[in-house]
Amino acid sequence: MIPYGRQDINQADIDAVVKVLRSDFLTQGPVVPAFENAVAMHCGVRHAVAVNSATSALHIACLALGVGNGDLVWTSPITFVASANCARYCGAAVDFVDIDPLTYNMSVECLRSKLKGAQKIGKLPKVVIPVHLCGQSCDMAAIHELGQQYGFKIIEDASHAIGGTYRREPVGNCRFSDIAVFSFHPVKIITTGEGGMAVTNDDKLASHMARLRTHGITRDPAEMTHEPDGPWYYQQLELGLNYRLTDIHAALGLSQMKRLEEFVETRNQIANRYTKMLAHLPVTVQLQPLDVYSAFHLYVIRLRLPKTKKSHREVFEALRAAGFGVNLHYIPVYRQPYYAQMGFNPSHFPESERYYADAISIPMYSGITEDQQDRVVAALRKAIET
Ligand SMILES: *Cc1c(COP(=O)(O)O)cnc(C)c1O
């Protein structure tokens, strides 16, 4: 089975991990800060806080922004459930903003009109979480402008997007957001096995997230309520978590960062090749805005139904049967039973519903060969035309 995505590990990655295994510190050693520094340098952002997953990063980002009971958080329905769950962990309610039919990212038009309505009834969101689907940045300048106008904070879910750019600057520089979050799951652009990172330019948010990742504990006398009792002393100031990344994982991440640009270039070449090959089939692909360089975590095609002989499900099943691990990113989050019971009406999200009815993620990862790509397209053509 050719998967939809997979990691790319070389000997240098393995050596870096083994070196940590032979060293004094498996966790809370020097490699985590080195990895944080490498990501911060790449992004051109002041602070980076490494954690054990992007889900954890989203959680502490919400906590640091003060999300709690009675608050509202908005995100895109076409995302992994973690983009919404982070608000629920904090006791906040979640709502969704429909997607743009061409980029599949949160629609700025829908956001604007939903904000207008929400203001009238006094139900504005505290935080909006745009998701850079497939690695393509959302229109962050426009979302940021709305944030200024309506007073919400912004967390970029950039789980797919490390190595991409927006307006010729790295995704994650937080020019148009408070915090951005990356995932290092093996299918993502770079990996640590499991892992994630939150980046920000705000000193207070950074130190608060660093504290939340380790039980809410501080060892900095400046943050304490009184002078330390002695050299052993630390204080727990609030209820935090153990979301730390280990040095073993960070070593893999630090090593992978050396190939980030190469990974993203390769993914763009693969994407361009797919786009050319698919031009004559009844499918559409994600519009690439001129001011965005996608990291291409995913390559999503949309079937131009009913121009295909088979249904969406039949095409999907035919590709799986032919040995291709195609997938559907994502089932609209409001359709998940956990969210559906909150009373969401799918007809309020017509573009997300259309997307769910015709989207398929085809294999995309840096190690896929041209021959494998050709076979994916041949299988797709056969599935569509017969
Ligand atoms: C993968 C992913 C996450 C969660 O990442 P983990 O590191 O697995 O916790 C969150 N949001 C999006 C959009 C993702 O794709």
Side-chain angles (χ1 to χ4, degrees), residues 209-376:
M209 289 192 291
R211 199 165 77 203
L212 286 165
R213 119 182 113 176
T214 181
H215 309 280
I217 284 172
T218 185
R219 290 175 185 277
D220 177 2
E223 291 184 344
M224 292 181 187
T225 57
H226 58 78
E227 291 291 307
D229 294 351
W232 62 85
Y233 198 63
Y234 58 83
Q235 280 190 343
Q236 183 193 343
L237 297 175
E238 64 187 319
L239 188 62
L241 303 126
N242 180 354
Y243 278 172
R244 291 187 305 260
L245 188 72
T246 73
D247 279 48
I248 305 168
H249 295 84
L252 179 54
L254 182 59
S255 178
Q256 291 250 301
M257 276 302 286
K258 298 196 179 106
R259 288 191 289 157
L260 174 60
E261 274 180 38
E262 179 195 319
F263 284 157
V264 173
E265 258 176 51
T266 304
R267 285 174 175 274
N268 271 272
Q269 282 163 13
I270 295 164
N272 291 339
R273 195 159 178 275
Y274 267 142
T275 303
K276 274 195 203 119
M277 287 194 288
L278 294 171
H280 305 293
L281 290 181
V283 301
T284 47
V285 297
Q286 194 181 26
L287 175 81
Q288 301 295 317
L290 287 173
D291 57 358
V292 175
Y293 176 62
S294 176
F296 274 112
H297 161 53
L298 300 172
Y299 193 90
V300 171
I301 60 165
R302 294 186 60 182
L303 304 181
R304 267 191 259 150
L305 304 166
K307 287 191 181 171
T308 58
K309 284 241 170 75
K310 288 196 180 71
S311 70
H312 179 230
R313 184 175 176 153
E314 285 165 345
V315 171
F316 192 101
E317 285 172 343
L319 288 168
R320 279 273 176 96
F324 302 106
V326 292
N327 225 308
L328 206 175
H329 300 97
Y330 292 91
I331 305 160
V333 177
Y334 54 75
R335 279 177 165 259
Q336 299 293 348
Y338 174 75
Y339 285 98
Q341 69 181 3
M342 297 171 191
F344 290 104
N345 182 347
S347 73
H348 292 168
F349 310 100
E351 291 303 335
S352 299
E353 286 294 295
R354 260 176 227 128
Y355 178 94
Y356 185 51
D358 61 19
I360 300 175
S361 305
I362 62 176
M364 163 58 87
Y365 50 92
S366 61
I368 195 169
T369 64
E370 293 198 346
D371 176 59
Q372 287 170 326
Q373 265 196 291
D374 292 347
R375 286 197 280 128
V376 170

Side-chain angles (χ1 to χ4, degrees), residues 102-113:
L102 301 180
T103 66
Y104 322 152
N105 276 329
M106 178 184 285
S107 155
V108 173
E109 286 321 304
C110 291
L111 177 60
R112 186 176 287 121
S113 69

Side-chain angles (χ1 to χ4, degrees), residues 53-55 58 79-80 82-83 131 157 159-160 183 185 188 195 330:
S53 71
T55 303
L58 287 163
T79 185
F80 186 53
S83 314
V131 181
D157 186 341
S159 290
H160 301 181
S183 171
H185 182 277
K188 306 286 165 76
Y330 292 91

Side-chain angles (χ1 to χ4, degrees), residues 62 67-68 70-77 79-97 106 114 123 125-129 333-334 338-340 342-345 349:
C62 284
V67 173
D71 289 328
L72 256 170
V73 172
W74 292 2
T75 188
S76 168
T79 185
F80 186 53
V81 292
S83 314
N85 289 347
C86 55
R88 299 292 304 140
Y89 299 149
C90 303
V94 172
D95 202 353
F96 301 96
V97 180
M106 178 184 285
K114 198 175 174 95
K123 288 183 105 177
K126 181 164 204 163
V127 171
V128 171
I129 307 182
V333 177
Y334 54 75
Y338 174 75
Y339 285 98
M342 297 171 191
F344 290 104
N345 182 347
F349 310 100

